[in-house]
């Protein structure tokens, strides 16, 4: 029996582009390409990497944190939107599987996807 070829996976530990979906997608595409260039077959991003984990919820009072909610909502992705398609293209162009953590916008609701 021959040994199986090693499987290379990458885990992203990079700061997101806080509350900026376009910059986040661009940075993610670069990290996807970097992982693939280093022979990874899978790259995984942290929870809500786009638009960044909503840490503002714990920085002060709930009333204070509300100032970020609209921007967080606006910079979340929608399945099939331009940002989503750019991430899918980056995965396809680099022939790599991507596990991506994002805030998903569906009408007025947000989901950690």
């Amino acid at each position: 029996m021959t040994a199986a070829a090693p499987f290379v996976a990458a885990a992203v530990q990079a700061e997101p582009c806080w509350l900026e979906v376009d910059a986040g997608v661009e940075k993610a595409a670069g990290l996807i390409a970097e992982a693939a260039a280093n022979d990874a077959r899978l790259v995984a991003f942290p929870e809500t990497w786009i638009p960044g984990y909503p840490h503002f919820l714990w920085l002060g009072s709930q009333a204070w944190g509300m100032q970020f909610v609209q921007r967080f909502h606006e910079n979340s992705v929608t399945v099939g939107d331009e940002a989503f398609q750019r991430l899918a293209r980056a995965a396809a162009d680099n022939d790599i599987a991507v596990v991506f953590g994002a805030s998903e916008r569906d009408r007025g609701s947000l989901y950690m996807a």
Side-chain angles (χ1 to χ4, degrees), residues 7-111:
F7 182 86
V8 178
V12 172
Q13 290 186 303
E15 184 171 8
C17 297
W18 298 101
L19 304 174
E20 297 290 341
V21 67
D22 291 330
V25 169
E26 186 173 327
K27 186 172 184 176
L31 292 168
I32 290 167
E34 180 182 348
N38 285 290
D39 299 323
R41 303 292 300 139
L42 169 76
V43 58
F45 286 78
E47 180 180 21
T48 60
W49 199 79
I50 288 181
Y53 191 83
H55 69 287
F56 56 82
L57 296 174
W58 294 277
L59 295 178
S61 69
Q62 289 297 310
W64 180 86
M66 291 303 292
Q67 67 182 306
F68 300 103
V69 172
Q70 183 65 32
R71 191 164 170 206
F72 188 84
H73 187 271
E74 291 167 353
N75 284 278
S76 295
V77 300
T78 300
V79 173
D81 72 2
E82 169 85 17
F84 186 92
Q85 290 177 22
R86 287 170 50 203
L87 291 168
R89 275 194 306 272
D93 290 350
N94 289 283
D95 192 29
I96 188 170
V98 177
V99 177
F100 203 89
S103 173
E104 178 188 346
R105 184 178 60 238
D106 184 17
R107 294 175 281 267
S109 296
L110 295 176
Y111 301 92

